[in-house]
Amino acid sequence: MHPIERLRYVARSSGAPAEVLVRETALALSAFRDDPAGLVTACRRIVARQPAIGPIWWLCSRVLCAVDPIREAAAAVEEIESDATSRHLAELVADSSRLVVLGWQPHVAGALARRGDLSVGVVDVLGEAGSFVDALDHRGVDAWEVPLSGLGAAVASADLFVVETSALATGGVVAVSGARAAAAVARHAGVPVWLVAGVGRVVPGRIWSHLLGLLDLVDEPWHADDELLPLDLVDDVIGPCGRASVAETLRRCDCPIAPELLRSDLGS
């Protein structure tokens, strides 16, 4: 694929797994090895078109802050592709648990494939439940589709509510639409809420502020695919290092701040 085509792929593939987006972005950016100005422009355009995806900010920030951007991009790809989050999640869920998730959840899929004793209800928040249930069925996982109208009842009857995030910071969590309502029901019903945050999801406060500005969740947020989940509704975070508190997870932020990505004309 031509580098420009790779950039276009990243720009329009918000539904692709973060690992795929990071790999494709890194390959596209390698074309700017001898063009520092072009590299900056490419990174700015990518984060402007994928503002909700923390690993894209993480990759582009690392690349722009590195002495050798291409080598740094390759290191980031290796790190995200060796992410142990799914393995930790599989090890930590109690035996024979009944989980509820929202839509397509990549790390949850990887975790459930390692456990034959778990069952999962998939709430159809974005029309993805059917395909996710099919994918889990092919892996031998006991899964069923839950209509959006049944979100509250499903969460209240679960042993665990698991939600993945694409980005988080001290200001909150970017999660799929419906996560806030589900987490609130879980808190009221005494059901633990686990946030799954793989490599590259934790971002610094300055990046978080720009990320929110690009997401524009203020006008008619009920139509958005993403929403903000308050951190106080999260009990534990499952990430590359295993299970941790929210505070500990935020302290492990390894995303540098590239000033070039924070200009007000981002995306131009």
Side-chain angles (χ1 to χ4, degrees), residues 52-53 126 166 174-178 215 217 221-228:
I53 302 178
L126 295 178
S166 58
V174 176
V176 66
S177 180
L215 275 180
L217 296 177
W222 47 89
H223 290 310
D225 291 346
D226 300 299
E227 67 179 9
L228 298 184

Side-chain angles (χ1 to χ4, degrees), residues 75-246:
V77 170
E78 182 177 356
E79 186 173 342
I80 202 166
E81 290 188 339
S82 60
D83 189 353
T85 297
S86 291
R87 176 170 57 82
H88 288 306
L89 179 60
E91 294 170 350
L92 290 165
V93 177
D95 294 346
S96 303
S97 290
R98 179 173 179 169
L99 284 62
V100 167
V101 301
L102 305 180
W104 194 282
Q105 305 279 283
H107 279 116
V108 174
L112 291 172
R114 301 168 184 263
R115 295 282 300 272
D117 62 314
L118 304 178
S119 59
V120 57
V122 183
V123 181
D124 192 26
V125 291
L126 295 178
E128 301 174 334
S131 58
F132 191 50
V133 168
D134 288 342
L136 294 175
D137 284 340
H138 284 307
R139 298 187 182 195
V141 178
D142 179 19
W144 63 94
E145 185 174 341
V146 178
L148 184 57
S149 59
L151 182 151
V155 172
S157 64
D159 299 310
L160 179 66
F161 171 56
V162 180
V163 58
E164 294 197 28
T165 178
S166 58
L168 74 149
T170 54
V173 175
V174 176
V176 66
S177 180
R180 184 168 187 157
V185 170
R187 175 58 55 86
H188 183 269
V191 175
V193 176
W194 284 10
L195 181 70
V196 179
V199 168
R201 271 67 173 185
V202 186
V203 299
R206 288 178 62 191
I207 288 180
W208 176 259
S209 297
H210 280 259
L211 180 158
L212 290 185
L214 291 168
L215 275 180
D216 190 20
L217 296 177
V218 177
D219 296 331
E220 298 187 341
W222 47 89
H223 290 310
D225 291 346
D226 300 299
E227 67 179 9
L228 298 184
L229 173 65
L231 289 171
D232 60 8
L233 290 178
V234 175
D235 293 302
D236 291 291
V237 182
I238 312 301
C241 297
R243 185 175 181 176
S245 66
V246 171

Side-chain angles (χ1 to χ4, degrees), residues 27-70:
L27 287 171
L29 295 179
S30 66
F32 301 93
R33 181 186 302 272
D34 300 317
D35 182 8
L39 180 65
V40 172
T41 299
C43 286
R44 285 163 53 80
R45 288 177 176 172
I46 289 170
V47 297
R49 288 162 175 76
Q50 297 285 15
I53 302 178
I56 293 296
W57 287 91
W58 170 79
L59 169 67
C60 290
S61 296
R62 287 180 57 168
V63 165
L64 294 181
C65 291
V67 174
D68 186 337
I70 306 308

